[in-house]
Amino acid sequence: MEKLYSCIDCPRLAGFLADVRKRHAGYHALPVAPFGDPRARLLIVGLAPGMHGANRTGRPFTGDYAGILLYDTLHRFGFASRPESVSRDDGLALTDCRITNAVKCLPPENKPEPAEIRTCNRNLAAELKASPEVKVVLALGLVAHKAVLMALGLKQAALAFGHGVRHELPDGRVLVDSYHCSRYNTQTRRLTDEGFHDVFRLVRAELG
C-alpha cells in the first residue's frame, strides 16, 4: 500500500496531485487503492478517482455522483453491506466483490493520457495475477475495458466493448462490460438504473 501511495511515475499526475493537496488540505489526494473483499470473485474496474469523490475520500467511487448508483446496486445484489458509501470509516463492507480503477491517480479533467494508462496498468495486471479467485471482471466504460485487455496481454481489437456484453477470456474468466455509472451517462439516460441492474443480473448468473 505504501508503495502505491508514494508512486510518482506519471509526472503530470504527481504534479497535479501535489497541487490538489495544497488547495484541499483535507483531501486524500494520493493514489487510491482497491477496496473490498481480498478474495472476491468479482472485480469491478473503473476509470480513475474523481476530484471530489475517491480523490477526496480515498475509497473508489465514494463521495461522488458515480458512486450513488454503483453502491446502491451492489447492495441490491448482495455485494455491499449498505446502499451508500460516504467515507472510508463508514463501516461499509463488500462481500465477494472488490473495486479498483484503471488509473489510480486523479487525472486533470478526469482524462488520463494513454501513457498514464499504460504506466498504471502494471498495477491492474498485478491485481489480476494475485487474484486467482476472481471469476468475473466488470469493466465500467471503454477505458476500463481496454485496460483489462492490456493487463491480460490481449490485443485491443481482440474483444469489442459493448454495454451488457459478456466476453470469455483466455484464462477462463469472464469479462462483462457496462457503460460507466457517471453523472453524464445516467442523466442522459445512456445508462439507466434498470440497464445497470441487468448487467449485475448477468454477473450474478456467472457467479452462480
Side-chain angles (χ1 to χ4, degrees), residues 140-163:
L140 301 180
L142 180 60
V143 172
H145 169 92
K146 289 184 174 181
V148 172
L149 299 187
M150 188 188 307
L152 294 174
L154 302 176
K155 293 182 178 179
Q156 293 293 292
L159 303 170
F161 174 84
H163 178 74

Side-chain angles (χ1 to χ4, degrees), residues 5-189:
Y5 285 163
S6 63
C7 179
I8 54 171
D9 290 346
C10 297
R12 186 182 77 117
L13 299 187
F16 185 57
L17 282 179
D19 182 61
V20 171
R21 285 194 294 273
K22 293 178 183 177
R23 290 185 286 117
H24 300 280
Y27 279 29
H28 173 75
L30 293 168
V32 175
F35 165 63
D37 186 345
R39 298 183 64 83
R41 293 182 298 157
L42 170 62
L43 179 66
I44 299 175
V45 183
L47 171 57
M51 169 64 90
H52 304 297
N55 177 67
R56 174 174 62 85
T57 63
R59 178 195 283 174
F61 288 90
T62 297
D64 62 6
Y65 190 89
I68 296 174
L69 177 57
L70 177 60
Y71 281 101
D72 180 74
T73 303
L74 289 173
H75 180 258
R76 184 182 297 265
F77 284 84
F79 293 108
S81 61
R82 57 179 62 183
E84 185 178 15
S85 180
V86 179
S87 68
R88 281 190 294 179
D89 58 1
D90 62 6
L92 183 148
L94 297 182
T95 301
D96 206 18
C97 173
R98 187 165 66 256
I99 306 172
T100 191
N101 279 310
V103 176
K104 303 297 190 285
C105 293
L106 168 73
E109 300 180 355
N110 205 36
K111 295 179 180 179
E113 294 180 347
E116 293 161 350
I117 296 172
R118 289 193 297 271
T119 297
C120 201
N121 194 255
R122 65 170 181 264
N123 292 303
L124 182 58
E127 289 171 53
L128 288 166
K129 184 176 181 180
S131 306
E133 301 88 356
V134 170
K135 302 301 180 186
V136 177
V137 180
L138 172 58
L140 301 180
L142 180 60
V143 172
H145 169 92
K146 289 184 174 181
V148 172
L149 299 187
M150 188 188 307
L152 294 174
L154 302 176
K155 293 182 178 179
Q156 293 293 292
L159 303 170
F161 174 84
H163 178 74
V165 175
R166 173 189 182 277
H167 308 280
E168 293 188 6
L169 298 171
D171 62 4
R173 304 184 199 196
V174 170
L175 170 63
V176 176
D177 292 333
S178 172
Y179 292 135
H180 194 284
C181 45
S182 66
R183 182 189 295 268
Y184 176 82
N185 282 342
T186 56
Q187 290 189 342
T188 60
R189 305 291 290 172

